[in-house]
Amino acid sequence: MVNKEIKPYYDFGDFLRKVFPFKVQKISVNAGFTCPNRDGTKGWGGCTYCNNQTFSPEYCQPNKSVTEQLEEGIRFFSHKYPEMKYLAYFQSYTNTYDAPDSLIRKYEEALAFPEVAGLIIGTRPDCMPDVLLDYFTALSENKFVMIEYGVESTLDRTLIRINRGHTYAESEEAIRRTAERGIYTGAHLILGLPGENREEILHHADIVSDLPITTLKLHQLQLIRQTRMAKEFAEQPEDFHLYTADEYIELVIDFIEKLNPSMVVERFVSQSPKELLIAPDWGLKNYVFTAKVCKRMTERQTWQGRLFTPSSQ
Ligand code: SF4
């Protein structure tokens, strides 16, 4: 539950401290996987907000192996914190999209490090075959395992519009299938997708509150260069509402007031590289934004779950 004395929401750091008796740090790994929403397996063209450039074969093939990437990351952090343990975060693209043997080889490459306490796997809800779920279930008996699903919206009309290539029902099904195996389950939502009004955005909180989600990541909609969405924005800017930082702070606070208080809120914003970002450019680092949210929640005398009711759907 939320400790309102410390943070007005359930923070990821507090969650990690509950799970681990030692300090842990995530290290992002690009294992060279691709995406089924671009090659026709699940869809063509990719999500409209996703930068096509990043799908060139050179970009997808990292120069460094999983081992090299982890060695570098561990070297960087272990200077300061020799006792630190690590979570290998398979973050880029769809990290469950390959032959199971090949996927498992990459995961095991990370787990071969004695300092690696577990895995976080980012993926799509329509990309979790039972054979992999069986592997993760067995693994989770002695390692930390979290599967993070890109849900993005609970409205199918939005998922069609942004060409996600899956429905909300598929997100719900993947989350329930994963969580019922006892695996930590994360979800990712984008707030401010075109065609969604404020009430619809806030209603996502009611809907996901009913799911067995461990951690939730919220991101503001960002317009990225050379995406289909950037083109749509240029043609029909009236379809988009680009939030100012202050407006978005009020939105996320309204959102987490409705959110189930047992859900960890891992982040409120994301930051794309400046050279790729069209808008909104708030120039705020993640920790600065988070501090602003906390300050404003204190001013508003509110906290996560203040307006949550289990039957709010
Ligand atoms: S956002 Fe994810 S699922 Fe969508 S096209 Fe990009 S990598 Fe694929």
Side-chain angles (χ1 to χ4, degrees):
M1 290 293 282
V2 182
N3 183 341
K4 295 191 276 292
E5 295 307 309
I6 301 169
K7 284 244 170 80
Y9 68 95
Y10 190 178
D11 167 63
F12 189 59
D14 291 341
F15 164 72
L16 289 180
R17 279 185 286 277
K18 269 191 210 162
V19 175
F20 295 104
F22 40 76
K23 258 186 180 310
V24 284
Q25 172 69 45
K26 284 202 262 184
I27 296 180
S28 291
V29 172
N30 177 354
F33 301 129
T34 58
C35 171
N37 195 24
R38 296 201 47 85
D39 65 8
T41 306
K42 299 288 180 185
W44 296 102
C47 309
T48 59
Y49 53 85
C50 186
N51 183 316
N52 291 356
Q53 271 188 329
T54 59
F55 285 94
S56 66
E58 312 86 72
Y59 195 99
C60 286
Q61 282 314 312
N63 304 326
K64 293 175 185 153
S65 66
V66 169
T67 301
E68 286 168 320
Q69 293 174 58
L70 283 168
E71 275 171 356
E72 259 178 33
I74 293 173
R75 206 177 308 128
F76 179 81
F77 289 107
S78 62
H79 276 308
K80 216 168 162 190
Y81 304 105
E83 302 306 319
M84 179 95 93
K85 299 272 188 232
Y86 302 91
L87 298 173
Y89 180 22
F90 286 75
Q91 182 178 17
S92 312
Y93 314 107
T94 304
N95 291 284
T96 55
Y97 180 52
D98 202 350
D101 286 358
S102 154
L103 292 163
I104 291 170
R105 251 197 319 277
K106 298 263 174 74
Y107 307 147
E108 297 284 326
E109 203 178 322
L111 293 164
F113 283 79
E115 305 92 327
V116 169
L119 304 177
I120 303 179
I121 307 287
T123 191
R124 293 167 51 86
D126 55 358
C127 249
M128 184 52 78
D130 277 334
V131 57
L132 266 190
L133 214 45
D134 292 344
Y135 166 78
F136 289 127
T137 306
L139 183 64
S140 67
E141 281 170 23
N142 46 40
K143 289 280 180 186
F144 177 94
V145 180
M146 180 178 283
I147 310 296
E148 256 181 36
Y149 291 109
V151 174
E152 316 315 353
S153 174
T154 65
L155 286 171
D156 282 342
R157 69 154 207 269
T158 305
L159 295 171
I160 290 168
R161 177 165 183 170
I162 62 174
N163 199 39
R164 272 296 291 178
H166 64 77
T167 59
Y168 173 67
E170 285 174 282
S171 298
E172 175 166 355
E173 194 254 356
I175 288 167
R176 291 195 188 281
R177 262 171 74 228
T178 307
E180 73 192 16
R181 303 284 198 108
I183 299 171
Y184 292 121
T185 308
H188 180 269
L189 285 175
I190 301 175
L191 303 189
L193 286 166
E196 294 190 355
N197 64 32
R198 203 171 196 284
E199 286 63 42
E200 287 170 327
I201 294 170
L202 294 178
H203 190 52
H204 298 320
D206 302 325
I207 295 178
V208 298
S209 282
D210 207 33
L211 297 180
I213 292 171
T214 317
T215 63
L216 183 67
K217 284 181 174 169
L218 303 175
H219 286 186
Q220 79 280 28
L221 177 67
Q222 297 184 99
L223 293 175
I224 304 297
R225 291 188 201 288
Q226 287 161 352
T227 58
R228 274 204 279 163
M229 195 177 273
K231 196 163 171 276
E232 281 172 23
F233 176 68
E235 286 162 2
Q236 278 178 304
E238 65 280 6
D239 271 11
F240 292 79
H241 180 81
L242 294 178
Y243 286 78
T244 64
D246 284 342
E247 244 185 327
Y248 184 74
I249 287 169
E250 299 303 326
L251 182 77
V252 290
I253 295 174
D254 290 349
F255 190 97
I256 60 178
E257 277 184 324
K258 287 158 87 59
L259 193 66
N260 189 326
S262 67
M263 222 170 260
V264 180
V265 184
E266 191 173 342
R267 54 189 305 146
F268 301 108
V269 281
S270 66
Q271 273 178 295
S272 293
K274 245 191 169 351
E275 63 280 10
L276 290 182
L277 183 64
I278 299 172
D281 185 2
W282 298 333
L284 294 172
K285 297 245 184 264
N286 187 25
Y287 74 92
V288 177
F289 190 89
T290 302
K292 280 177 175 287
V293 170
C294 287
K295 181 167 176 279
R296 185 67 188 127
M297 287 181 86
T298 308
E299 284 166 7
R300 282 179 52 174
Q301 299 192 333
T302 193
W303 57 88
Q304 179 180 347
R306 190 177 70 83
L307 302 177
F308 166 73
T309 48
S311 56
S312 56
Q313 272 194 72

